[in-house]
Amino acid sequence: MSAFALTNTVLIAFCVFLALLARSRSKARNKAYFEQICRHTATKPWLEANLSGAESADNIRKTAKHFNISRTQAKQLIGRYRQNLL
């Protein structure tokens, strides 16, 4: 294997490693932010005041926009609220 090919292989492996590291750290930050929202004292009153009866796409969209989280996390937050875990 030539030095050029070896260098390219090492650089590609390093780039893949950095991409996986960035994705892992991003997921960890998102999870920590979600847990912070769940522990915040103003979360439960906001959910009580702004959620309508049934779980709907509008409730999920409104919650995601207010807390700046993904819709999946908004659905989880509403689920925790409905189970009285907040």
Side-chain angles (χ1 to χ4, degrees), residues 2-12:
S2 70
F4 184 70
L6 180 63
T7 303
N8 283 345
T9 303
V10 170
L11 288 176
I12 289 171

Side-chain angles (χ1 to χ4, degrees), residues 3-4 8 36 44 58-59 61 63 66-67 74 84 86:
F4 184 70
N8 283 345
Q36 179 184 4
K44 188 172 182 177
D58 186 44
N59 284 340
R61 189 171 31 257
T63 304
H66 177 75
F67 291 109
N84 293 321
L86 294 180

